[in-house]
Amino acid sequence: MLFVQGFAQNKDTTDYKSPHSPTTASVLSAIIPGAGQVYNKKYWKVPIIYGVGGYLAYAIIFNNKQYLRFKADYKALTDNNPNTVDEFNGQVPAEQIKYVKDQHRRQRDLSILGLSLWYVLNIVDASVDANLYDFDVSDDLSLHLFRGNNLLTLTYKIGK
């Protein structure tokens, strides 16, 4: 027979502190990205969050400007009006301008998708960190195997 005994962490109720709320961390990160990480005291994550968010916002703005620029040029080339001239003065074929226009639209759309994913991951990260805020990561993780009286006993201890 195999008996498994577990000893959970001993929690002293005399020094009660208010629990670290995952809901608060999530709401803070939803309102201001990175605020949940500050609440969780994971300050080192804030520059990463704003760096990635800033890059994605810049990519959206840049690609949208380029998309609109090439869209206007493509329209000027294909409208069959001799009075409208594109910025390349007809030196670049319409197919090439259409290809570049479509590439910038695709990059803009992917950047929007990335920014949406960044926002959701920011909230999820704050919630997970808040859930694990009081998690004990001490070095006292032990597992002992005892044999006696024709029984095999497995004992594990986590924490203090």
Side-chain angles (χ1 to χ4, degrees):
M1 278 194 195
L2 177 67
F3 290 100
V4 177
Q5 292 178 327
F7 299 101
Q9 298 178 4
N10 297 331
K11 293 204 177 208
D12 188 7
T13 57
T14 58
D15 55 317
Y16 175 77
K17 63 179 182 178
S18 64
H20 203 73
S21 172
T23 304
T24 302
S26 299
V27 168
L28 286 171
S29 274
I31 295 171
I32 302 171
Q37 285 73 10
V38 172
Y39 172 75
N40 292 329
K41 297 183 177 146
K42 301 283 185 172
Y43 306 110
W44 63 272
K45 291 183 178 183
V46 176
I48 296 170
I49 289 170
Y50 280 100
V52 172
Y55 169 76
L56 290 169
Y58 172 78
I60 291 168
I61 293 167
F62 173 79
N63 283 304
N64 190 53
K65 283 181 181 177
Q66 294 302 313
Y67 167 69
L68 294 175
R69 171 184 163 209
F70 284 100
K71 180 181 172 185
D73 287 341
Y74 182 71
K75 189 175 181 181
L77 279 174
T78 57
D79 67 354
N80 294 328
N81 184 351
N83 295 328
T84 59
V85 180
D86 64 304
E87 74 177 86
F88 302 108
N89 294 324
Q91 295 176 353
V92 179
E95 297 81 27
Q96 189 174 358
I97 290 177
K98 181 180 185 303
Y99 175 78
V100 173
K101 171 189 72 99
D102 291 342
Q103 287 300 311
H104 283 292
R105 185 187 64 220
R106 181 177 184 273
Q107 292 301 318
R108 180 203 60 194
D109 294 348
L110 286 174
S111 297
I112 291 170
L113 181 66
L115 191 65
S116 303
L117 183 62
W118 164 86
Y119 180 73
V120 170
L121 286 176
N122 161 58
I123 297 169
V124 169
D125 177 66
S127 178
V128 169
D129 272 345
N131 273 308
L132 297 176
Y133 186 78
D134 293 322
F135 187 73
D136 182 20
V137 290
S138 68
D139 292 334
D140 189 15
L141 301 174
S142 58
L143 180 68
H144 301 286
L145 188 61
F146 298 105
R147 185 177 170 111
N149 298 337
N150 294 329
L151 296 174
L152 189 61
T153 304
L154 181 66
T155 306
Y156 63 93
K157 180 179 178 186
I158 300 175
K160 300 172 185 165

